[in-house]
Amino acid sequence: MKVAFLVAPEGVEQVELTDPWQAVRDAGGTPRLVSTKPGRIQAFNHLDKADTFEVDQVVKDATVEEYDALVLPGGVANPDFLRLNDKAVAFARGFFDAGKPVAAICHAPWTLVEADVVRGRTLTSWPSLRTDITNAGGTWVDEQVKVCTGGPNALITSRKPDDLKAFREAFLEEFAKTTKGSAR
């Protein structure tokens, strides 16, 4: 299982990157850090700078075909930067077009709103995204984790870092279905 973690060069919430990353590794998968620029990304602990992480691949050189799934970590600034990058938005949309699972936590669904893939889907997020998701045609729910299979792919979403345990369990289960060849 090869999983793309799409992040901006700055602003990702560190625990929303590192916790799911480790879960993929622990499950025997290969996580890869994909960003809009080469080099290192700057993670944050809320509004404070945290660690930096080496980028494995620049999104302009990445293809959906080389990955089994996508994880979109949150952080307020991270998805806001991503939604302004056409290649990042197209990369995220490509997982929906290909029927591959996508997991997004906290503010990350902003990228999905920009990609126009939440219409008709039910998802959760940080509460401040409720209006954006609703205006984009999605149904917002206040749940720890929401798995929506009412579309071309599985969409797994959670609200915040406190939901990480449920988020990991849900996305790993959905990702495993995909890598075992089950049709979605």
Side-chain angles (χ1 to χ4, degrees):
M1 171 175 53
K2 190 173 176 186
V3 180
F5 280 72
L6 179 60
V7 298
E10 187 170 36
V12 68
E13 185 70 27
Q14 182 160 314
V15 71
E16 293 175 3
L17 170 64
T18 58
D19 185 276
W21 182 281
Q22 190 61 49
V24 168
R25 290 187 66 161
D26 290 349
T30 304
R32 303 250 309 147
L33 193 61
V34 179
S35 189
T36 57
K37 294 181 181 176
R40 298 186 73 79
I41 62 111
Q42 175 66 61
F44 280 73
N45 291 324
H46 192 52
L47 298 175
D48 298 321
K49 284 187 177 180
D51 298 324
T52 63
F53 298 89
E54 186 69 31
V55 172
D56 294 311
Q57 189 174 30
V58 178
V59 72
K60 71 177 180 59
D61 300 326
T63 65
V64 171
E65 294 74 27
E66 62 192 295
Y67 293 100
D68 298 305
L70 173 65
V71 173
L72 295 168
V76 178
N78 178 53
D80 200 42
F81 288 136
L82 289 176
R83 66 195 287 192
L84 294 174
N85 183 289
D86 292 340
K87 299 257 188 250
V89 171
F91 185 66
R93 184 183 312 111
F95 282 84
F96 288 78
D97 295 342
K100 294 183 178 185
V102 173
I105 188 167
C106 203
H107 289 80
W110 263 339
T111 305
L112 302 178
V113 166
E114 191 67 31
D116 194 24
V117 294
V118 302
R119 187 172 319 283
R121 305 303 295 268
T122 301
L123 60 156
T124 192
S125 68
W126 185 253
S128 65
L129 276 67
R130 178 183 186 161
T131 300
D132 297 320
I133 289 167
T134 302
N135 287 344
T139 300
W140 186 88
V141 294
D142 184 11
E143 296 177 14
Q144 186 177 42
V145 66
K146 179 64 184 173
V147 177
C148 178
T149 56
N153 65 335
L155 174 58
I156 307 95
T157 53
S158 281
R159 303 169 299 189
K160 57 189 173 184
D162 289 346
D163 299 338
L164 278 165
K165 182 179 185 303
F167 181 62
R168 314 188 275 276
E169 290 170 359
F171 81 67
L172 286 174
E173 182 178 328
E174 290 301 320
F175 289 7
K177 290 177 186 177
T178 299
T179 58
K180 289 180 183 167
S182 88
R184 206 17 82 217

